[in-house]
Amino acid sequence: TDIDERKRSEEAIRIRELQYRQVFDASVDGLLVVRPDGTFKDGNPAFCRMHGIEHSELDGLSSEQFVHPDSLGKLKECFAAVDAGSTYHCEAKGLRKNGESFDCEVDITPFSQAGKKNALVTLRDISKRKQAERGQQESEHKYQSLFDNSVAGVAITRVSGQLVEANEALCDILGYSLEELVQLDIGTLYAQPDKRDEYFEILVRDGAANDYQ
């Protein structure tokens, strides 16, 4: 009958919604449903943990409360994209409830629910990755500073003998500009070219060639 068919259809919808809810709640990424005005409608446990809030607090909160001032411009861009029916991706700074900031990767997808426009926000906390990147940049900057400012001549060469980089001190010692040096085979700078082969044998054998003359 029509009543039985309607009941089966309603039951199928209920089961499908339950399955979606289970996936939503189990995601390791923070998931958030946002209304067109930017207020929160729903969020999963990962999103709540990420921001230090309870699920019961979510409904009605404003997106701006959880975006670092430096990233508010990106928030405006993302809602402009959603209004236009487009997806949006960016890296931004989020804010936890206690005011602590964190780096995050954001994907936003517009969708309709019960005939109303909403957006699904996916957030990944990338603080550790960004911290590692900053550490690497600082290390590279420190190395470059030591390389450039060393009073000893320092060079980086390939095994083939091609010079990759040299500091100013080495250029002064050899009497070449850097542009001239990189055009040379480093072996031509040895008074005894066979010494270079001997040097590399020691380097390969011992992993270093200290105080080599």
Side-chain angles (χ1 to χ4, degrees):
T1 65
D2 289 344
I3 294 176
D4 291 336
E5 183 64 29
R6 188 175 72 247
K7 286 182 177 180
R8 283 194 294 270
S9 178
E10 290 173 350
E11 179 63 13
I13 292 172
R14 188 190 68 79
I15 292 173
R16 188 162 60 249
E17 288 179 345
L18 179 61
Q19 290 172 336
Y20 287 153
R21 186 75 215 186
Q22 289 173 336
V23 172
F24 185 83
D25 287 344
S27 174
V28 295
D29 291 330
L31 299 179
L32 176 71
V33 178
V34 184
R35 299 183 180 92
D37 63 359
T39 57
F40 296 173
K41 184 175 182 180
D42 195 9
N44 72 344
F47 180 88
C48 293
R49 286 193 300 271
M50 197 179 296
H51 293 82
I53 56 178
E54 299 294 330
H55 186 269
S56 58
E57 301 177 79
L58 268 175
D59 193 18
L61 290 175
S62 170
S63 300
E64 292 186 357
Q65 294 175 246
F66 296 91
V67 177
H68 191 278
D70 292 348
S71 295
L72 287 175
K74 292 182 178 180
L75 181 65
K76 292 179 181 178
E77 288 177 4
C78 87
F79 279 111
V82 169
D83 286 342
S86 302
T87 59
Y88 184 81
H89 172 84
C90 71
E91 290 184 0
K93 278 191 172 293
L95 287 176
R96 309 191 202 281
K97 184 181 178 181
N98 64 6
E100 178 186 346
S101 65
F102 65 99
D103 295 300
C104 58
E105 188 174 43
V106 186
D107 286 285
I108 301 181
T109 305
F111 73 99
S112 293
Q113 187 177 44
K116 296 181 180 180
K117 288 185 177 181
N118 292 291
L120 177 64
V121 181
T122 303
L123 290 118
R124 299 172 192 88
D125 188 333
I126 57 172
S127 299
K128 289 183 179 179
R129 191 187 84 193
K130 285 295 185 179
Q131 185 177 7
E133 289 175 357
R134 285 191 288 269
Q136 182 177 354
Q137 290 171 355
E138 289 171 4
S139 178
E140 289 173 354
H141 177 74
K142 184 178 180 180
Y143 158 78
Q144 192 66 47
S145 179
L146 290 171
F147 183 90
D148 292 340
N149 296 310
S150 174
V151 295
V154 184
I156 299 173
T157 70
R158 294 191 172 93
V159 175
S160 64
Q162 181 186 1
L163 189 141
V164 177
E165 190 174 0
N167 67 352
E168 187 175 347
L170 184 64
C171 293
D172 291 341
I173 292 168
L174 297 175
Y176 289 94
S177 68
L178 179 59
E179 291 73 18
E180 291 170 326
L181 271 180
V182 296
Q183 300 299 320
L184 299 176
D185 183 320
I186 199 71
T188 64
L189 300 175
Y190 283 76
Q192 298 173 288
D194 60 319
K195 285 287 187 179
R196 181 172 181 274
D197 294 333
E198 182 181 323
Y199 168 80
F200 269 103
E201 286 178 8
I202 296 172
L203 188 63
V204 170
R205 186 189 67 217
D206 301 338
N210 298 316
D211 300 321
Y212 182 80
Q213 297 183 3

